[in-house]
Amino acid sequence: MGQIGRLFGANAPSAADLEVLEEALIAADFGPTLAQQLVAPLHQRLSRHDLSNLDQVEAALKHDILAILSSVAPPPSSIDRQTRPQVFLFLGINGSGKTTTIGKFAHRLTSEGGRVVLAAADTFRAAAIEQLGLWGRRVGADVICHQAGADPSAVVFDAVQAARSRGASHLLIDTAGRLHTKRNLMEELKKIQRVVSRQMPDAPHERIMVLDATSGLNALVQARTFHEAVGLTSLILTKLDGTAKGGVVVAIAEQLKLPITFVGLGEGVDDLQPFVPETFTDALFVRS
Ligand SMILES: Nc1nc2c(ncn2[C@@H]2O[C@H](COP(=O)(O)OP(=O)(O)O)[C@@H](O)[C@H]2O)c(=O)[nH]1
Ligand SMILES: [Mg+2]
């Protein structure tokens, strides 16, 4: 988006310029539908001779993008935050950044004085369990784990017990994300949910989908699959440091109408930032 200045030059935009703009939006992962939706009002203004410079184009785009992003800003939570522990289930395909995001999220909570328990319910590989263990030690959170290959629901059962008996403020559950066994995965995730809610009827309080922003519109497809199976409550987008194609964030907000709560901006412990629609929109248009 930072290049739209170069797209138009100093001249008043023409209809052909707006078509180039639409292509640029598609290239930035806004998706064809949303790109068209954003450019249509500009064509109308052009035909009314109400569009004479780049600043007006940029202001109109910013306004419409911000409106989409603001409409899914996190609502005032209906969760009774007094309930301990708050149980958060993290979902997403392999490599999307679940375990790293849990580590960073746990760091935020422990820094604020929270007592955090992590559940290693991705039992598919020993390395996945070790990775969560490492984060737990790094950020000062307890980790409940079983051997590789164990039943994830059994890990979660123990983790809920542990979180309650230790008076934890938060239980963060890491899950597997092997999509090639999609049906089994969804059944496994539903079972985890049942195990949690049998012990705590209102839990899991949040079902958070972790999406890799560099995977473009595939992220949208993934989110839909998980949303249908488990009913997501919010989204976290990772690896925004690794892409210039922030449009997918707008496309996801527009399509799924789910709040985006945080964004991942790196692999470090402090690289999880609250999602602020205004900041994000401004960042989209920083001239490059
Ligand atoms: N640059 C960058 N890398 C990330 C971010 N989040 C996760 N990663 C990296 O992405 C890879 C996969 O992350 P991981 O947490 O293991 O994904 P999981 O399979 O969903 O648990 C790891 O190399 C992480 O360090 C992020 O926000 N930015
Ligand atoms: Mg993992």
Side-chain angles (χ1 to χ4, degrees):
M1 298 305 303
Q3 300 183 20
I4 63 172
R6 248 177 272 163
L7 216 64
F8 292 104
N11 303 324
S14 66
D17 289 332
L18 293 182
E19 269 157 38
V20 177
L21 172 64
E22 188 174 330
E23 280 160 27
L25 289 169
I26 294 170
D29 281 347
F30 279 78
T33 316
L34 182 55
Q36 198 190 10
Q37 196 177 309
L38 286 168
V39 172
L42 295 173
H43 279 290
Q44 282 169 15
R45 283 181 61 178
L46 195 66
S47 59
R48 293 199 306 266
H49 307 287
D50 178 31
L51 199 64
S52 51
N53 60 49
L54 170 67
D55 286 347
Q56 288 178 331
V57 173
E58 191 175 294
L61 278 178
K62 266 192 180 177
H63 174 272
D64 290 352
I65 289 172
L66 186 59
I68 293 170
L69 294 177
S70 305
S71 71
V72 293
S77 180
S78 57
I79 299 168
D80 175 11
R81 295 282 172 195
Q82 300 306 310
T83 306
R84 286 169 80 97
Q86 289 289 306
V87 182
F88 292 179
L89 188 60
F90 285 78
L91 307 150
I93 69 156
N94 255 358
S96 63
K98 286 182 299 299
T99 307
T100 308
T101 300
I102 288 171
K104 293 188 250 182
F105 195 71
H107 175 67
R108 290 188 83 92
L109 296 169
T110 53
S111 311
E112 291 164 3
R115 167 119 207 221
V116 181
V117 172
L118 309 180
D122 178 0
T123 59
F124 196 60
R125 287 179 308 122
I129 300 170
E130 281 159 25
Q131 187 191 1
L132 193 71
L134 217 58
W135 273 107
R137 281 196 292 283
R138 195 196 283 186
V139 305
D142 297 347
V143 180
I144 304 301
C145 63
H146 290 186
Q147 303 274 323
D151 180 356
S153 308
V155 178
V156 169
F157 183 89
D158 285 354
V160 174
Q161 299 273 310
R164 295 177 97 176
S165 67
R166 295 172 197 186
S169 59
H170 292 82
L171 168 61
L172 311 182
I173 302 173
D174 196 10
T175 61
R178 303 172 311 279
L179 256 199
H180 55 274
T181 54
K182 191 165 94 184
R183 205 189 134 65
N184 290 342
L185 176 61
M186 295 308 157
E187 291 312 314
E188 180 178 303
L189 296 174
K190 285 180 193 167
K191 187 172 168 195
I192 288 175
Q193 292 214 79
R194 285 198 299 276
V195 166
V196 173
S197 56
R198 236 179 267 140
Q199 295 172 89
M200 292 184 69
D202 53 341
H205 304 95
E206 298 268 358
R207 293 169 298 281
I208 304 167
M209 176 97 191
V210 178
L211 293 167
D212 175 350
T214 67
S215 64
L217 295 175
N218 280 334
L220 192 59
V221 179
Q222 291 160 20
R224 279 221 185 83
T225 308
F226 280 78
H227 195 30
E228 278 163 22
V230 298
L232 303 172
T233 57
S234 62
L235 308 170
I236 292 179
L237 281 139
T238 62
K239 308 187 199 181
L240 272 177
D241 53 309
T243 176
K245 298 184 167 193
V248 67
V249 176
V250 189
I252 285 171
E254 203 267 333
Q255 291 279 309
L256 296 177
K257 310 266 190 278
L258 284 167
I260 298 164
T261 50
F262 288 94
V263 288
L265 300 169
E267 297 175 278
V269 75
D270 290 316
D271 293 331
L272 187 72
Q273 298 294 323
F275 179 70
V276 183
E278 289 79 6
T279 312
F280 184 84
T281 307
D282 286 342
L284 273 180
F285 287 87
V286 168
R287 303 276 165 91
S288 53

